[in-house]
Amino acid sequence: MQTITSVFEMQTLAEDLRSKGQIIGLVPTMGALHEGHVSLIKLAAEQADTVVVSIFVNPTQFGPSEDFTKYPRALEADVAACEAAGADIVFAPTAEEIYPKGYSTYVIEEHIAKPLEGVSRPSHFRGVTTVVAKLFNIVRPDLAVFGQKDAQQVAVIKKMVADLHFTVDVVVAPTLREQDGLAMSSRNRYLTATQRIEALVIHRALRKAAGMVAAGECRVDRLIAEATHLIAQHRRVRMIYTSIVDRTTMEAVKGEIVPGKVVMTIAVWVDEIRLIDNELL
Ligand code: PAF
């Protein structure tokens, strides 16, 4: 496995691989890799001849009051994890390499990016679409794997791919969970033991809603009320939103859901740690 830090070198190698007919799979990450990322890399390896994992803590997707400088960085361990998971190339550029001095071009999706995460993190998806478009242009992948845990990110990227005529197949991998149900996330490492126990209510609330749907309850207000009620019982957990939205457009569903078409998304603060999760209903 090789590690590349230069855009030019990555582009040249990708062109060479493509000309030899290799199928390139990209797994974009911000590092601090966990088992969830490993499952994305393994999925990419099943479908591609060459797997590129990008490791880049993207400054443009963090808001001014967010945790960019505190975001966990563990390049050496990440590179080892990529190799063990079957990656062929780690692309780990510096911020200057991706955003040289004077950089001023951004990619903005204007609808799907607006609700949910877009309300409390207004510039977040602008950063995500910009860096993912750049990675697509640098790595020229045939397929790129993203986790279902970031359901809105998946919807925004699929829309960008369609709108900008990228020829990348967006592959969505299921959310990997700890044994107790907590969705795997690089931010989980900030949780104390007590906070971690409190955070389990997110998955319980989602499962409760899924159970209600399985039992025939399709009224959006009933499903949201039950999830909200569960979360409200936890002192350290403050709800940012609980919403049931269309899986493709991320528009809020009113009245009754059509099972199989929607996703319930939850974002909370557990003290100062922001966590998100979702469940397909
Ligand atoms: O999901 C992430 O880790 C990031 O948003 C991504 C897709 C790597 C872009 O920086």
Side-chain angles (χ1 to χ4, degrees):
M1 196 191 71
Q2 57 180 314
T3 302
I4 295 176
T5 55
S6 133
V7 168
F8 176 74
E9 206 184 313
M10 184 67 245
Q11 261 174 333
T12 311
L13 179 58
E15 278 310 317
D16 186 43
L17 291 166
R18 281 179 80 85
S19 70
K20 291 183 176 135
Q22 292 265 306
I23 307 249
I24 302 178
L26 170 68
V27 183
T29 82
M30 296 208 300
L33 303 184
H34 49 69
E35 283 304 309
H37 294 109
V38 169
S39 73
L40 306 187
I41 299 169
K42 288 187 172 159
L43 187 60
E46 282 169 21
Q47 301 187 22
D49 301 314
T50 300
V51 175
V52 180
V53 180
S54 62
I55 298 179
F56 179 62
V57 185
N58 175 33
T60 60
Q61 69 187 75
F62 290 80
S65 60
E66 291 180 356
D67 53 357
F68 172 67
T69 48
K70 282 197 300 170
Y71 198 84
R73 285 155 174 90
L75 189 60
E76 215 174 298
D78 287 346
V79 170
C82 288
E83 184 151 31
D88 301 289
I89 299 166
V90 166
F91 176 52
T94 60
E96 295 70 36
E97 188 73 6
I98 295 295
Y99 300 108
K101 201 167 178 302
Y103 184 83
S104 60
T105 304
Y106 294 88
V107 177
I108 301 171
E109 192 292 318
E110 295 201 321
H111 291 293
I112 299 171
K114 287 264 160 69
L116 307 172
E117 292 296 285
V119 174
S120 41
R121 310 181 70 196
S123 58
H124 172 67
F125 286 116
R126 178 182 90 140
V128 171
T129 41
T130 299
V131 81
V132 171
K134 280 170 157 285
L135 290 168
F136 285 176
N137 283 331
I138 297 165
V139 178
R140 302 277 316 281
D142 297 278
L143 61 100
V145 186
F146 296 88
Q148 171 60 32
K149 170 162 175 294
D150 297 304
Q152 190 175 9
Q153 171 167 282
V154 166
V156 168
I157 287 167
K158 281 186 172 170
K159 187 67 166 44
M160 177 191 80
V161 164
D163 286 351
L164 298 185
H165 312 287
F166 280 110
T167 54
V168 181
D169 187 12
V170 175
V171 177
V172 184
T175 303
L176 225 67
R177 298 184 179 280
E178 304 288 353
Q179 277 198 335
D180 54 15
L182 186 68
M184 289 191 185
S185 161
S186 304
R187 291 197 167 102
N188 290 353
R189 63 186 72 192
Y190 299 138
L191 295 167
T192 64
T194 320
Q195 289 169 334
R196 203 180 173 296
I197 290 169
E198 295 268 297
L200 295 179
V201 71
I202 309 167
H203 186 235
R204 270 211 306 283
L206 292 167
R207 292 307 304 156
K208 176 78 189 179
M212 288 169 74
V213 173
E217 178 59 84
C218 288
R219 286 169 295 177
V220 170
D221 55 352
R222 303 297 310 161
L223 299 169
I224 289 184
E226 197 60 45
T228 309
H229 173 69
L230 280 180
I231 291 170
Q233 290 167 19
H234 290 258
R235 201 174 49 84
R236 287 170 180 272
V237 184
R238 274 176 300 130
M239 202 170 71
I240 303 167
Y241 59 78
T242 296
S243 195
I244 296 179
V245 297
D246 179 274
R247 290 182 193 181
T248 308
T249 64
M250 294 284 129
E251 275 168 17
V253 176
K254 296 191 178 74
E256 297 208 343
I257 67 156
V258 178
K261 297 247 179 287
V262 302
V263 59
M264 180 180 241
T265 60
I266 294 182
V268 300
W269 288 108
V270 179
D271 295 328
E272 73 292 355
I273 301 148
R274 195 179 192 283
L275 298 176
I276 59 170
D277 199 355
N278 67 79
E279 179 90 17
L280 302 172
L281 295 180

